[in-house]
Amino acid sequence: MESEYSQLKEYMDQSSKTVAVTGAGISYLYGMSRLKQSVGRLNAGRIFSASYVRKNPEEFYKVMKDSFLDATFVKGPSTVHKQLAELERQGKIYGIVTQNLDCLHTIAGSQNVVEFQGSFRDNICTDCGSRYFDYQVWNRGHMPRCSKCGAPLMPTAFCRDFRATADASSDNMKKAADMISEADLVLVIGTTGFRSSEYLSRMKAGTKLVQINPSETQFDRMADLNIRADAAKALDAVLHG
């Protein structure tokens, strides 16, 4: 394993632009699996609609709290989130592309983050459609509401009722693909590759891909280096090796 850590460090030292791609594996075990459990008794197509949230704001808030908010605002970022933020601060990572909605990269201190599915820092009013770009609206212990009309807010990632949400999704994926297209080293950490074909297809020739994941994934065949270890150990070796 030490030789793999050394190879990773060498790749990063030689890279002029390293981008990390992250998934639920770097967060606490709440993510989408907890979300699915929370809405299992409900019709997902119903709860993730503006009309449902307007009529049942407290039910929606409870689902968000159980699925995301407690982990985000009570547990906070994991070791890997903090390590990636430090690597960015040191100039060893250019940016992060993540499928996660939890804002934990931003809370940990990362500056250049693309959340291609959206996140809790992009919200929309379920009535008038006003946008609120602030994840802290969810850190007040109650359902956030629009300052203009008083209707409840919901993350654009969960709302399909407004054209603005579809536009946001498209813009986020374009930003992710653009960032990947500039990289000469891509670190895939804690993800099995959800929607990866939409951004990894933009990797330029010669770009190296390193996967850090204890389990096998679809990236095994394309990775220049597979590190079967906890990401925190691998990144610690880069930071302090």
Side-chain angles (χ1 to χ4, degrees), residues 188-229:
V188 176
I189 305 172
T191 177
T192 57
F194 178 71
R195 295 184 66 184
S196 61
S197 62
E198 297 179 56
Y199 55 84
L200 288 184
S201 61
R202 293 283 303 281
M203 276 177 56
K204 61 188 178 185
T207 296
K208 288 185 170 59
L209 189 147
V210 174
Q211 175 181 221
I212 306 173
N213 200 324
S215 305
E216 294 182 2
T217 74
Q218 63 174 311
F219 296 112
D220 289 13
R221 297 184 301 276
M222 63 185 297
D224 295 276
L225 175 64
N226 278 303
I227 299 178
R228 294 276 185 252

Side-chain angles (χ1 to χ4, degrees), residues 14-43:
Q14 294 173 348
S15 171
S16 61
K17 187 165 286 188
T18 298
V19 173
V21 176
T22 68
I26 72 162
S27 298
Y28 294 97
L29 297 178
Y30 64 102
M32 297 307 292
S33 60
R34 281 283 301 276
L35 179 62
K36 289 177 181 177
Q37 292 171 12
S38 298
V39 301
R41 67 187 184 282
L42 302 168
N43 182 304

Side-chain angles (χ1 to χ4, degrees), residues 73-91:
F73 297 116
V74 178
K75 294 180 180 178
S78 68
T79 298
V80 177
H81 291 102
K82 296 173 183 177
Q83 290 171 321
L84 289 171
E86 177 60 20
L87 287 167
E88 182 184 8
R89 190 188 70 79
Q90 294 182 11

Side-chain angles (χ1 to χ4, degrees), residues 46-61:
R46 182 165 57 94
I47 190 172
F48 295 143
S49 70
S51 60
Y52 181 89
V53 175
R54 282 197 303 271
K55 295 176 183 176
N56 304 276
E58 297 312 315
E59 177 69 29
F60 183 79
Y61 180 76

Side-chain angles (χ1 to χ4, degrees), residues 12 32 35 49 54 62 76 81 83 94 102 106 121 128 155 172 181 207 215:
M12 294 186 70
M32 297 307 292
L35 179 62
S49 70
R54 282 197 303 271
K62 184 179 185 303
H81 291 102
Q83 290 171 321
Y94 169 71
D102 50 36
T106 299
R121 60 176 169 178
C128 71
N172 289 336
S181 73
T207 296
S215 305

Side-chain angles (χ1 to χ4, degrees), residues 124-194:
I124 192 164
C125 173
T126 55
D127 191 8
C128 71
S130 295
R131 299 285 287 281
Y132 293 82
F133 297 95
D134 181 8
Y135 65 84
Q136 289 292 355
V137 300
W138 294 96
N139 191 23
R140 298 170 184 168
H142 56 79
M143 185 69 179
R145 290 185 174 272
C146 178
S147 61
K148 297 177 181 178
C149 71
L153 307 181
M154 66 186 300
T156 58
F158 293 139
C159 184
R160 299 294 180 264
D161 299 87
F162 296 88
R163 173 62 184 271
T165 60
D167 291 343
S169 178
S170 178
D171 288 346
N172 289 336
M173 184 56 76
K174 183 179 184 304
K175 290 176 183 177
D178 287 346
M179 185 181 288
I180 292 294
S181 73
E182 298 175 356
D184 53 27
L185 175 62
V186 175
L187 307 181
V188 176
I189 305 172
T191 177
T192 57
F194 178 71

